[in-house]
Amino acid sequence: MTTESLPRTPAELGLPEFPVEAGPEDPAVHHVRAKLDREIRALLAYEVGTRSGADPEDLHQMRVALRRMRSVLKLSGGLVGDGAEPVRAELGWLGQSLGEVRDYDVLIEHLREVIADFEVRDQPAGHRLVSRFVAERAAAKRRLTRALSSARYSTLLREVSLLIRDQEAAAEVAEESHDLVAGLAKPHRKLTKAVRALPADPPDDDLHDLRIHGKKLRYAAELAQTSAKKKRSKRIKTLIRATRDFQTVLGDHQDAVVAAERMRTVLETADGEVGFVAGRIAERERVRRAEARAVWRESWAAVDAAAKALHA
């Protein structure tokens, strides 16, 4: 399948001219369909920039749209029909390709910022270090471009649009009671359980898993906010803000862990000058990791308080 034959606009996917809307009085299924509609439109809008690579933010936003769709389908996919889980799995396939390139973008941008603060005499070695990751990123980008040009991707887009357009499936559950705000209790419980299971000095991987739990709660809150009336909507907004801060802290921690590990890998084969720069960066990442570990429980407390306030 050629790029030209891929669906490139909402209209080509059979979606309505204007985005699907849902308000507090609408049933939960309408909110799920509206959320999927918004995110598939965002994904299509950022695809062009993702392909060109002119601005890494396009790829980032495309990935965010995809992850939001996956989260919605995980939490409430049953409302839009039996096809939700297969679609969620296929979104995961695409997410792997997007995530690989995004991880390089984050690493490269951070390394360039760090190296810019080094002495002038060390910067050429720093640039040689970064060039390694630029080359690896280019290979990952080629793999992503192939994925975006594939029949599999085209099929995925059409399957998402079918979930949005399937009025018959939506009608079957429209009269059932599904409280999206009450549904926030489940991801909050999972996050709480994960926090309580951690030792005083958690392993890096456990904190990364915690960030994923927090992201699921945030995306669930974003969906629930559209169905909530004014008072609850305001409280959900507080929860969204708290989970965003929580993700930022743990995201900084994970970025530091990854960057330090990359530098250790570089040290295995680097020449003296590049190795010296890599060692300096690894030490900086160790400090950044420690800073995030010092404050993550405080940010978690804000999330917990905001979630509990919803049901007070």
Side-chain angles (χ1 to χ4, degrees):
M1 176 175 290
T2 64
T3 301
E4 289 73 15
S5 65
L6 289 170
R8 308 302 295 272
T9 67
E12 290 172 344
L13 288 174
L15 297 175
E17 180 181 0
F18 299 104
V20 177
E21 299 288 345
E25 302 303 326
D26 289 317
V29 62
H30 288 187
H31 290 274
V32 173
R33 291 177 59 244
K35 183 64 171 175
L36 291 173
D37 183 76
R38 284 195 298 274
E39 300 306 335
I40 193 68
R41 290 172 191 268
L43 185 143
L44 289 171
Y46 288 112
E47 181 191 331
V48 175
T50 296
R51 286 178 178 274
S52 73
D55 185 351
E57 185 64 17
D58 288 319
L59 186 148
H60 174 52
Q61 293 302 328
M62 185 177 182
R63 186 186 184 207
V64 168
L66 183 146
R67 294 172 86 165
R68 282 175 170 152
M69 284 190 285
R70 287 200 77 213
S71 180
V72 167
L73 293 176
K74 175 68 173 179
L75 290 166
S76 307
L79 295 178
V80 290
D82 295 336
E85 184 53 33
V87 170
R88 194 179 78 85
E90 283 298 277
L91 288 169
W93 158 74
L94 180 60
Q96 289 179 347
S97 294
L98 288 167
E100 184 182 16
V101 181
R102 175 60 183 169
D103 288 346
Y104 278 114
D105 285 342
V106 171
L107 177 65
I108 291 167
E109 180 182 11
H110 176 64
L111 291 179
R112 284 173 171 163
E113 290 175 353
V114 171
I115 290 166
D117 288 336
F118 284 176
E119 295 86 346
V120 173
R121 63 182 180 181
D122 292 328
Q123 290 190 9
H127 296 323
R128 294 204 304 276
L129 185 154
V130 171
S131 68
R132 294 182 176 213
F133 300 113
V134 171
E136 292 175 10
R137 194 257 186 207
K141 175 59 166 54
R142 288 192 292 272
R143 290 190 288 272
L144 172 59
T145 299
R146 287 195 294 271
L148 293 177
S149 301
S150 68
R152 186 175 181 179
Y153 175 58
S154 176
T155 299
L156 171 59
L157 293 177
R158 297 187 189 283
E159 288 177 345
V160 173
S161 71
L162 182 60
L163 293 179
I164 298 167
R165 294 184 288 114
D166 192 350
Q167 299 285 351
E168 182 177 341
E172 291 178 0
V173 297
E175 299 304 321
E176 298 178 18
S177 176
H178 294 277
D179 188 337
L180 294 174
V181 178
L184 293 176
K186 183 176 181 180
H188 176 231
R189 282 197 305 270
K190 287 187 175 182
L191 178 56
T192 301
K193 182 178 179 180
V195 170
R196 290 176 177 172
L198 293 178
D201 186 23
D204 293 331
D205 287 346
D206 286 355
L207 287 180
H208 180 52
D209 290 342
L210 208 63
R211 180 174 181 248
I212 294 172
H213 282 299
K215 188 172 296 185
K216 290 177 180 178
L217 175 57
R218 174 187 166 187
Y219 290 160
E222 289 175 348
L223 174 63
Q225 187 178 27
T226 64
S227 71
K229 294 184 178 180
K230 188 173 182 180
K231 184 177 180 180
R232 289 183 113 186
S233 178
K234 186 175 180 180
R235 290 181 176 179
I236 293 173
K237 185 177 181 179
T238 300
L239 175 60
I240 292 171
R241 184 167 55 248
T243 53
R244 186 182 296 118
D245 292 343
F246 183 65
Q247 284 180 246
T248 297
V249 171
L250 292 182
D252 287 345
H253 176 272
Q254 179 64 13
D255 290 346
V257 169
V258 170
E261 180 58 34
R262 292 283 192 166
M263 294 308 102
R264 283 191 285 271
T265 301
V266 167
L267 285 168
E268 295 174 0
T269 58
D271 61 44
E273 291 180 341
V274 171
F276 174 73
V277 170
R280 289 185 64 186
I281 294 173
E283 178 58 24
R284 285 196 178 202
E285 299 311 311
R286 186 191 68 79
V287 172
R288 185 161 68 126
R289 172 180 176 271
E291 290 172 347
R293 281 176 168 266
V295 299
W296 78 264
R297 289 186 185 274
E298 180 180 342
S299 63
W300 151 245
V303 171
D304 192 37
K308 288 176 178 176
L310 281 174
H311 309 291

